[in-house]
Amino acid sequence: MIYELMISSCYPDRYWFQYVSTGDDYYELLQCKKIQSNNPIVFKLEKKVSEKRLLSYDFYFSDGPEFISPRLANLLSNNQDFLHDVQLIDATIIVNGRSYSGYKVLNFLRLISCIDMNKSEYVPILDYLPDGPKKFYKMVLKENINEQFCMARCEESIGRIMMSESLRQFFIKNKVKGINLSKQYIDNDFIFSY
């Protein structure tokens, strides 16, 4: 069974970070290729927040890529299966004017086919690009995926991140905070996919 990486319902709106470009274009992170980067990717939080509460999370969301806490990066640094699928890129966050390092951007290196297009309902976003981005009315995940993976981008909807049951269990065991770890299936109306 596979799951979509989804934000936790407990993740406050005020914790959405602004992606600050450091020369590495966000588009590069959608290519499923390793990136050579000498500068950390920077994220900034404009709103005043409780740093103690904010820093207790492990997954963070932004208007750019997803990134993880130093604690989760440390836990995953010894997981060779995870590191085969995901490159960890240095990130720095700026909160209440203070800079914090040790965070890692997730650069997904795998692309797998995971949506059952025969059972899903969708239309092309652009009529003249029938094989381009889709607008899903109903999305059904494939039940039998033979490929072994921890995390990967979804081939049919590249902006969606999928995770394996074993990685989900790892996150549950380690009390990872910030993502939805319940067994939910995709059933959203008017999903825009890229």
Side-chain angles (χ1 to χ4, degrees), residues 74-93:
N74 186 48
L75 287 170
L76 292 169
S77 66
N78 295 319
N79 185 326
Q80 290 305 311
D81 290 334
F82 178 82
L83 295 175
H84 180 262
D85 293 348
V86 181
Q87 176 188 12
L88 299 176
I89 300 173
D90 291 337
T92 299
I93 65 170

Side-chain angles (χ1 to χ4, degrees), residues 105-165:
V105 168
L106 302 176
N107 180 23
F108 304 99
L109 304 174
R110 301 280 301 275
L111 185 67
I112 63 167
S113 176
C114 55
I115 297 175
D116 187 328
M117 298 302 277
N118 292 326
K119 294 180 181 176
S120 298
E121 296 174 14
Y122 60 92
V123 295
I125 291 177
L126 303 171
D127 290 338
Y128 61 89
L129 287 176
D131 295 327
K134 312 280 187 275
K135 176 180 174 181
F136 285 89
Y137 296 100
K138 177 182 176 186
M139 187 179 295
V140 178
L141 297 178
K142 290 181 177 177
E143 292 183 22
N144 299 318
I145 294 180
N146 297 325
E147 213 170 328
Q148 296 296 317
F149 76 101
C150 280
M151 289 186 103
R153 289 195 177 279
C154 179
E155 185 177 301
E156 297 84 2
S157 180
I158 200 161
R160 295 185 184 284
I161 308 303
M162 309 311 286
M163 67 178 157
S164 67
E165 173 65 23

Side-chain angles (χ1 to χ4, degrees), residues 7-24:
I7 191 168
S8 168
S9 60
C10 300
Y11 191 87
D13 289 342
R14 65 185 177 279
Y15 290 178
W16 277 83
F17 281 81
Q18 177 184 357
Y19 167 65
V20 180
S21 179
T22 56
D24 294 318

Side-chain angles (χ1 to χ4, degrees), residues 10-18 43-62 67-70 92-100 103 177-178:
C10 300
Y11 191 87
D13 289 342
R14 65 185 177 279
Y15 290 178
W16 277 83
F17 281 81
Q18 177 184 357
F43 298 90
K44 188 174 185 178
L45 198 61
E46 295 293 336
K47 298 177 178 164
K48 296 287 183 192
V49 296
S50 164
E51 291 176 42
K52 182 179 179 183
R53 186 160 181 245
L54 169 74
L55 300 178
S56 72
Y57 282 82
D58 293 301
F59 259 89
Y60 296 91
F61 295 86
S62 76
F67 61 100
I68 59 174
S69 70
T92 299
I93 65 170
I94 301 169
V95 180
N96 296 337
R98 295 180 61 189
S99 182
Y100 295 89
Y103 291 81
K177 189 175 174 183

Side-chain angles (χ1 to χ4, degrees), residues 29-44:
L29 294 170
L30 299 174
Q31 302 304 307
C32 296
K33 295 178 183 174
K34 283 197 173 185
I35 296 173
Q36 299 301 322
S37 179
N38 296 327
N39 300 319
I41 296 175
V42 178
F43 298 90
K44 188 174 185 178

